[in-house]
Structures are given as C-alpha cells and as structure tokens.
Amino acid sequence: MPSNDIRTVLPAAVPTLAVGAVGTAVSAVVAGGKGAIGGVVGTLVVVLFMGIGLVVLQRTAKSLPQLFQAMGLMLYVAQLLLLFLFLTMFKDTTLFDFKAFAFTLLAATVTWITAQARSWMKAKILYVDPAAGQGGNPAKSGSSA
C-alpha cells in the first residue's frame, strides 16, 4: 500500500479502532467472552470493508477522475449493503453475541464515516495542478480557423 493510501486511511482507522476497543470492552462486561468476540469481529469488519473501499476509491480517483463521484456513491451503497448482508448472515450465529456485534459494528461505522468526513474537510487538496503551468505549450481552446 503506497504511503498516500496510508495517510488517507489512518485518520479514519485510528478513531474507529478506539471506538471498537471501547465497544469490545463494554460488550465483554455486558455479554462476557462471546460479547468481546462480537465486538472484535464487528470492529474488524468495519475497518476491512471501509479501508479497502477507501483505497479502491483513491486508486479510481487517480486513474479515472471523471468517475470519482459516481464511484464514491456506488462504493458507499455497496459497503452499506455488504454490512447489511454480513448482519443478516450472522443473525443466528452462536460464535459470538449478535447484539454486541451489531452495536459495535454500528458505532464503528458511524465513527469511520465521521472521521473520514472530518479528515477530508481538514485536508489541503490542490484544485489547480501546479505542474500544468510549468513547461510545455498550453492547449489551445476554441477554433483555429
């Protein structure tokens, strides 16, 4: 993973892992060992789904910038559907406490989205390409008749 991807994932992953740790601790107190396992699984699912999605979105933005907005919307819908699918698949599991899993997953998802939005608002992203003004002939616009 290139360092640029890590710089975009970390501001969202660190608070999510912190909330996941709190959720796991609360789940362990409320539901015992199975609650702790549910909290850990819920946190890992969010970090993996959202982290992979963010990396894919960054790669798409670099290679196909015209598809960035559409890809972002499609990606978030797909992530939410995958999380819903994951919840329905493990609804009747005995591996871990489902309520602890679901509440930790919900808290971690909200934390990830909030932290990612805050990170993007604080980012200093250039909207003008400084390299475009250096060297080379500028592209002509309009008709050349």
Side-chain angles (χ1 to χ4, degrees):
M1 181 183 309
S3 65
N4 191 28
D5 291 340
I6 291 172
R7 283 185 293 194
T8 58
V9 171
L10 277 181
V14 171
T16 302
L17 289 172
V19 166
V22 170
T24 300
V26 169
S27 298
V29 169
V30 171
K34 289 198 175 210
I37 293 170
V40 168
V41 171
T43 303
L44 290 178
V45 165
V46 170
V47 171
L48 287 175
F49 280 10
M50 298 295 191
I52 290 170
L54 185 58
V55 170
V56 167
L57 187 61
Q58 289 298 318
R59 302 273 170 111
T60 301
K62 287 178 188 173
S63 62
L64 300 166
Q66 68 274 15
L67 293 180
F68 180 71
Q69 186 176 16
M71 182 71 171
L73 291 171
M74 193 257 338
L75 183 69
Y76 283 123
V77 169
Q79 285 173 336
L80 291 175
L81 288 174
L82 281 172
L83 289 175
F84 178 73
L85 180 67
F86 209 85
L87 281 171
T88 56
M89 280 179 14
F90 287 102
K91 183 173 60 173
D92 298 323
T93 188
T94 58
L95 297 172
F96 49 79
D97 186 56
F98 179 73
K99 286 184 181 179
F101 165 72
F103 283 121
T104 306
L105 185 119
L106 178 65
T109 301
V110 169
T111 302
W112 181 281
I113 292 170
T114 304
Q116 187 179 359
R118 182 180 185 278
S119 171
W120 280 102
M121 288 174 58
K122 295 229 173 235
K124 293 179 173 49
I125 300 171
L126 296 174
Y127 58 90
V128 175
D129 186 10
Q134 300 171 355
N137 294 332
K140 294 182 180 181
S141 61
S143 64
S144 60

